[in-house]
Amino acid sequence: VLKLFKLLHRTRQEVFKNDTRALEAARQKINEEFRNNKDETSEEKINELLKIASDVEVILRTSVIQAVHTDSDKIVLIPRKDLLQDNTPYLDEPTKK
């Protein structure tokens, strides 16, 4: 449980880097969720909560991208290196192997 708690906070710091509002909001939500369930004794429920927390960490790490308003009608996206993938060209006809 503690390992996952720390992992969520490390992911939060990486995903929301330089965004103090998002960093604080994520910190409060993580701490609140773990605090609300600290007295849980059912092994089944604990495993379910751990699975949810693990899924949240994966979604944060793989799906969240930062954006900054630069003008009234422009937004600049700031992708992290681990989000960038090689571009696979589209082919109308699949190649045969």
Side-chain angles (χ1 to χ4, degrees):
V1 174
L2 186 58
K3 183 178 179 181
L4 187 55
F5 180 78
K6 288 180 180 182
L7 179 61
L8 276 167
H9 277 290
R10 280 193 297 273
T11 301
R12 165 190 71 90
Q13 289 173 336
E14 184 180 320
V15 169
F16 301 118
K17 186 189 296 183
N18 300 325
D19 185 348
T20 54
R21 276 180 66 188
L23 280 167
E24 182 60 23
R27 184 187 70 77
Q28 287 178 358
K29 185 64 174 174
I30 292 167
N31 291 345
E32 175 187 329
E33 290 298 324
F34 275 81
R35 194 177 308 114
N36 289 344
N37 295 296
K38 71 178 182 179
D39 296 325
E40 186 61 54
T41 57
S42 167
E43 186 175 336
E44 185 177 304
K45 180 69 173 173
I46 291 170
N47 288 335
E48 180 184 329
L49 290 168
L50 289 174
K51 173 75 170 113
I52 291 170
S54 179
D55 291 348
V56 166
E57 192 276 331
V58 169
I59 290 170
L60 280 174
R61 186 171 23 88
T62 61
S63 301
V64 175
I65 190 167
Q66 286 183 306
V68 177
H69 286 277
T70 58
D71 205 356
S72 62
D73 61 345
K74 292 184 182 178
I75 296 175
V76 174
L77 299 179
I78 307 170
R80 294 181 313 284
K81 288 182 181 179
D82 56 334
L83 287 178
L84 299 176
Q85 299 176 357
D86 290 334
N87 191 9
T88 305
Y90 173 78
L91 300 173
D92 285 331
E93 296 179 21
T95 57
K96 295 180 182 177
K97 293 184 179 182

